[in-house]
Amino acid sequence: TDFSDFKKEFNKRLAELSDEATKVIQNCVQKHIGAEQFERARICREQSKEKYLEKKGIFDKKSLKLEEKLESLCMKRATDRGAEAKLKYRQKTLEDAIERNEGYIKTYREKESELNALNFDAGFEDTK
């Protein structure tokens, strides 16, 4: 925002100076005087241009740094999303394994109950 404000102000000042310079040139041509005023306007315009270029350089550097940071964050987000997908798959795999194992335990207990119901020891006495 500082840069955009500066740029607006600079463009406004540049237009004013251009108009002033044009008037001075016209005046010089018409009256053969005003070279000094023309020179002042030229110097002022050059100073404004230098300020603009200086501020633009600062803006460009900051812009580049922010673009690099954005790229870094995008790469991190992609990596994080990949890790998240991998963890979700691992969670699903483990949940499926738990469900399958609980089914095995249930089947085992049912078979165990059936075998206990047959009471294999019935009719056999200890020979001690």
Side-chain angles (χ1 to χ4, degrees):
T1 57
D2 289 338
F3 182 74
S4 61
D5 291 342
F6 172 78
K7 188 174 179 181
K8 286 178 190 175
E9 187 177 311
F10 173 79
N11 287 335
K12 179 182 173 189
R13 182 75 175 132
L14 186 63
E16 291 171 0
L17 290 173
S18 291
D19 291 341
E20 187 179 336
T22 303
K23 288 176 186 174
V24 168
I25 290 170
Q26 288 172 345
N27 218 5
C28 283
V29 170
Q30 290 172 1
K31 298 181 182 178
H32 299 286
I33 59 170
E36 186 179 310
Q37 186 178 1
F38 175 77
E39 185 62 22
R40 279 194 307 249
R42 187 192 64 75
I43 290 171
C44 190
R45 183 176 179 177
E46 187 63 33
Q47 289 172 345
S48 293
K49 182 180 177 183
E50 288 173 12
K51 284 182 186 177
Y52 168 78
L53 292 175
E54 179 185 328
K55 297 292 182 179
K56 186 177 183 313
I58 293 169
F59 171 81
D60 289 345
K61 285 179 185 176
K62 285 183 181 180
S63 178
L64 183 61
K65 284 182 183 178
L66 289 173
E67 284 177 21
E68 289 172 356
K69 186 174 181 178
L70 176 63
E71 181 66 26
S72 171
L73 290 172
C74 286
M75 300 263 303
K76 184 178 180 334
R77 180 178 60 188
T79 302
D80 290 347
R81 285 185 177 173
E84 179 185 17
K86 185 177 178 182
L87 289 171
K88 282 183 179 179
Y89 175 77
R90 178 76 174 137
Q91 179 184 5
K92 175 75 171 124
T93 303
L94 291 173
E95 287 172 349
D96 290 348
I98 289 170
E99 187 177 326
R100 197 172 39 254
N101 289 341
E102 287 173 348
Y104 293 152
I105 291 170
K106 181 180 176 187
T107 303
Y108 169 80
R109 290 205 171 124
E110 288 172 358
K111 295 293 182 186
E112 182 182 40
S113 294
E114 287 177 21
L115 289 174
N116 284 338
L118 292 176
N119 196 0
F120 282 109
D121 292 335
F124 292 105
E125 292 182 26
D126 255 345
T127 55
K128 288 189 184 179

